Amino acid sequence: MERDVKGLGVVLAKREVGEGNVLLSLFSPSLSLVEVKEFGARKGKKALRVPLYSEGNFSLYRKGENSYILKDVDFITIRHEIMSSYERMIFSSLMAEMTLKGKDYSENIYNLISSSLDRMTETYDEKRVLIYFISHYLDFFGSLGDFTTCPVCHRKYRDDEVLGFNESFRVASCSSCSDREGMILPPSARAFLARTLELDMDDALSLGISEMMRDRILSYLLRTLSLVWPSKLSLFEGQLMKDWI
């Protein structure tokens, strides 16, 4: 087994371990999700300090099957701007937690989280970035629903139809098949999400939409996420996302 390995990766979580050490959760398209110990990160003046959400080419020493020690890193981007905004911090944390717990560490998911974190550091509307991330992530796993036909009764939606949510199928449905109170997706919102799924990120983020409709779409997606996600998302357990779901 080769001990010295290198790979592109993004840091999605950090926690303190032992005295002065940090454990990084590193998502790499070549290494999958790995735990990397950063020795002396909280004490040594010359120690490497790898920021949360930073991305780069990591040089690691393999201790075990999923255990690594950080040797060096050539940063591509630091993304320190995320930490300057409360909403960007919260939304980035949700995207990172979804990626960590989603257990799909493919190149497609890597590109999605990397691009989304990039946009969180720029002048884009962070709520629009989160809409793009959640809608595409859920669509990868078939958990978003079909915006043309009801999955329950198989009737094609009218252009002016308001959608609801069916808990048994765990996807958007026509109003007649909806059994979840408060889950409402207007026609314009449905059209926006359908178009978002067809576009790359920058084109999708440039689509015209009002702030009111943006917030309604985000609330619908977050409620959907809370209903379809197979495990607990810590951000949904406290008060941080309470206003949205």
Side-chain angles (χ1 to χ4, degrees), residues 27-176:
F27 176 22
S28 168
S30 60
L31 301 173
S32 187
L33 180 69
V34 296
E35 299 295 317
V36 179
K37 184 172 285 188
E38 188 182 3
F39 282 104
R42 292 185 288 126
K43 282 194 173 183
K45 291 182 179 180
K46 295 183 179 180
L48 282 171
R49 288 179 173 82
V50 182
L52 183 62
Y53 307 130
S54 60
E55 186 171 4
N57 291 299
F58 288 76
S59 297
L60 310 173
Y61 178 78
R62 189 198 305 264
K63 285 187 64 181
E65 183 177 349
N66 193 43
S67 177
Y68 295 80
I69 295 172
L70 179 66
K71 294 175 61 179
D72 198 7
V73 56
D74 182 15
F75 289 111
I76 296 172
T77 181
I78 301 296
R79 301 191 176 111
H80 58 80
E81 297 91 346
I82 290 175
M83 311 311 288
S84 65
S85 163
Y86 179 74
E87 278 201 335
R88 289 176 188 244
M89 286 174 56
I90 295 300
F91 294 165
S92 296
S93 179
L94 177 59
M95 295 191 304
E97 187 178 8
M98 288 176 61
T99 304
L100 289 169
K101 293 183 176 178
K103 298 183 180 179
D104 184 323
Y105 308 121
S106 64
E107 188 172 355
N108 282 338
I109 298 298
Y110 185 90
N111 291 335
L112 177 62
I113 184 65
S114 176
S115 297
S116 299
L117 289 172
D118 277 342
R119 300 317 184 276
M120 282 288 180
T121 71
E122 300 168 9
T123 57
Y124 292 97
D125 180 341
E126 58 267 23
K127 294 177 183 176
R128 293 283 299 272
V129 176
L130 186 58
I131 286 172
Y132 187 93
F133 179 86
I134 294 176
S135 60
H136 278 258
Y137 196 100
L138 292 180
D139 188 57
F140 280 142
F141 297 99
S143 301
L144 189 60
D146 182 353
F147 294 128
T148 59
T149 305
C150 177
V152 183
C153 66
H154 307 294
R155 178 179 59 79
K156 187 174 181 179
Y157 297 131
R158 302 186 308 273
D159 289 342
D160 63 348
E161 191 160 357
V162 176
L163 302 192
F165 187 90
N166 185 277
E167 290 203 64
S168 297
F169 283 70
R170 301 173 75 186
V171 290
S173 70
C174 70
S175 297
S176 298

Side-chain angles (χ1 to χ4, degrees), residues 8 16 21 25 37 47 63 72 99 168 174 187 199 216 241:
L8 174 69
E16 298 177 359
N21 304 323
S25 294
K37 184 172 285 188
K63 285 187 64 181
D72 198 7
T99 304
S168 297
C174 70
L199 299 174
R216 178 172 288 186
M241 304 295 288

